[in-house]
DNA sequence: TAGATTGTTAATCGATTAACAATC
DNA sequence: TAGATTGTTAATCGATTAACAATC
């Protein structure tokens, strides 16, 4: 019933709606939301119907309730604890940006090789030695991981993560990870993104 | 004939093939390539047929020729000059990773507010004041831009970029840019990516 | 020749679009 | 009531899958 694309658009809608809400907007039409999200009005309506939320003729959708409905659909009953592997430039940028933007997905620990960083707290996130990776993940019940380490180490670390109980990985390293199908992996190779822009910009 | 997904997969195939090539692999079957790229063998064959490249029964595809064929299809006749806006943690991470990985998309200039950084050369990329943005982009014929600045400034900068002649934007700021349809924008909000992983990991 | 893989075609599936009825 | 927007349904479109013929 709900497709992967559906979910992706719902995530985007929520982001846009929260932004508009902060500007004081109370109601919105499928037409307007679609414009911001690059979807057709019909698409927006279908997506919202899919999660059981309806608008009213003439007045459209109530922003506040819509955000609640989408969150109810997207959010896990319990927060999904997250960790990040690697605190280089990219790791710090992600921490900086994601820190407490979504309480349902708290980034709780950062694992690092560099002993100079271990023990510090960066953006409310404890920096721990990679040697303790398995222990901490199992003990704390961490479910998600963000990988920002060099290509060379990524596969090995990913396998250790999976063996410790990680269920989903956001992979910023330029490697296609070979992991069991039960693990959800989202790859975000930055060069591929740029190549895509290069192709479609012409 | 060629869909957006087609292109995206071709970009991924090339990346995988270049990796395998460096390990010494000469030939590959659609089955194997599909495994690495999370596509079906039939999908791989269709994608490659779409760009006019055929394999041979029994032996499959020649890696070297395949990389050439894909590159021929993806690459612009002339390199597409690229700039990056913002040299915070994220900007430096991207520069570090993308620097000279694809000569056809050289990142030539970085624009920065911070005067302490202006004038320096980071990863072979000159750091220039944002005040000179229009001049440099027009004079050098820069086509693509990567945005890594805070949400607040992104829309304004994006409009300046477009007015200077930028055709495609890779947007890492957490803002949906409102730009003419002729401009190709690829959004890479890192929080949305994490939310997607959170949803699909369960 | 037998086997493995490829390209080709037809059938299926799903998602999007278009037209319409329903509602405040 | 008239107008604007919504939900619903049928029609279209495209992409994927499955079965088969072709090739070295």
């Amino acid at each position: 019933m709900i497709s992967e694309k559906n979910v992706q658009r719902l995530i985007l809608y929520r982001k846009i709606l929260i932004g508009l809400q902060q500007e004081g907007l109370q109601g919105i039409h499928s037409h307007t939301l679609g414009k911001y999200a690059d979807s057709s009005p019909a698409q927006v309506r279908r997506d919202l119907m899919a999660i059981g939320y309806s608008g009213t003729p003439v007045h459209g959708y109530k922003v506040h309730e819509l955000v609640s409905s989408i969150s109810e659909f997207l959010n896990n009953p319990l927060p999904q604890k997250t960790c990040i592997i690697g605190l280089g430039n990219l790791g710090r940028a992600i921490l900086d940006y994601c820190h407490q933007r979504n309480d349902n997905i708290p980034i709780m620990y950062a694992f690092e090789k560099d002993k100079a960083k271990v023990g510090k707290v960066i953006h409310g996130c404890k920096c721990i030695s990679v040697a303790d990776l398995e222990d901490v993940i199992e003990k704390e019940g961490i479910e998600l991981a963000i990988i920002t380490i060099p290509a060379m180490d990524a596969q090995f670390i990913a396998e250790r993560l999976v063996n410790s109980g990680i269920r989903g990985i956001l992979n910023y390293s330029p490697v296609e990870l070979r992991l069991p199908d039960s693990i959800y992996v989202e790859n975000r190779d930055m060069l591929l993104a740029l190549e895509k822009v290069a192709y479609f910009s012409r």
Side-chain angles (χ1 to χ4, degrees), chain A:
Chain A
M1 177 118 185
I2 301 275
S3 74
E4 184 170 333
K5 279 190 177 177
N6 257 220
V7 172
Q8 212 170 326
R9 282 191 299 256
L10 286 169
I11 292 171
L12 180 56
Y13 298 155
R14 175 165 70 173
K15 170 187 154 185
I16 292 167
L17 289 166
I18 289 174
L20 294 172
Q21 203 177 14
Q22 283 167 356
E23 289 174 18
L25 195 79
Q26 309 236 332
I28 193 167
H29 289 158
S30 56
H31 172 76
T32 314
L33 184 51
K35 223 166 153 185
Y36 278 102
D38 254 319
S39 303
S40 69
Q43 182 71 268
V44 171
R45 290 199 291 270
R46 213 178 321 118
D47 288 334
L48 298 181
M49 280 192 294
I51 59 165
Y53 189 77
S54 300
T56 59
V58 187
H59 298 104
Y61 298 86
K62 291 180 188 164
V63 174
H64 183 75
E65 288 181 15
L66 194 43
V67 171
S68 300
S69 292
I70 296 176
S71 290
E72 198 178 325
F73 174 78
L74 291 176
N75 288 358
N76 211 40
L78 287 176
Q80 292 175 280
K81 295 181 185 175
T82 305
C83 65
I84 188 165
I85 325 292
L87 275 185
N89 284 325
L90 182 56
R92 288 198 303 276
I94 292 174
L95 261 190
D96 185 23
Y97 171 50
C98 290
H99 182 238
Q100 295 200 330
R101 293 282 297 275
N102 184 337
D103 292 340
N104 222 51
I105 314 172
I107 304 180
M108 307 190 69
Y109 299 99
F111 294 100
E112 248 288 336
K113 253 187 191 171
D114 182 358
K115 287 182 181 165
K117 290 179 190 160
V118 170
K120 293 185 179 172
V121 174
I122 302 179
H123 296 299
C125 182
K126 287 179 205 162
C127 191
I128 297 177
S129 166
V130 266
D132 301 328
L133 190 141
E134 283 84 353
D135 284 350
V136 174
I137 289 178
E138 283 177 34
K139 198 173 293 174
E140 297 280 338
I142 296 173
E143 290 179 45
L144 311 177
I146 306 168
I147 294 183
T148 69
I149 55 179
M152 228 183 76
D153 308 323
Q155 177 66 36
F156 179 59
I157 285 285
E159 287 168 13
R160 284 178 62 189
L161 288 168
V162 169
N163 289 334
S164 313
I166 289 289
R167 305 286 310 281
I169 293 177
L170 178 52
N171 176 32
Y172 279 96
S173 86
V175 166
E176 298 302 301
L177 301 173
R178 304 284 301 140
L179 298 172
D181 287 343
S182 60
I183 308 299
Y184 186 83
V185 179
E186 176 84 7
N187 291 303
R188 292 270 147 155
D189 189 320
M190 295 179 295
L191 184 59
L192 298 198
L194 184 57
E195 288 176 339
K196 193 177 166 192
V197 172
Y199 181 85
F200 287 108
S201 69
R202 48 183 204 252

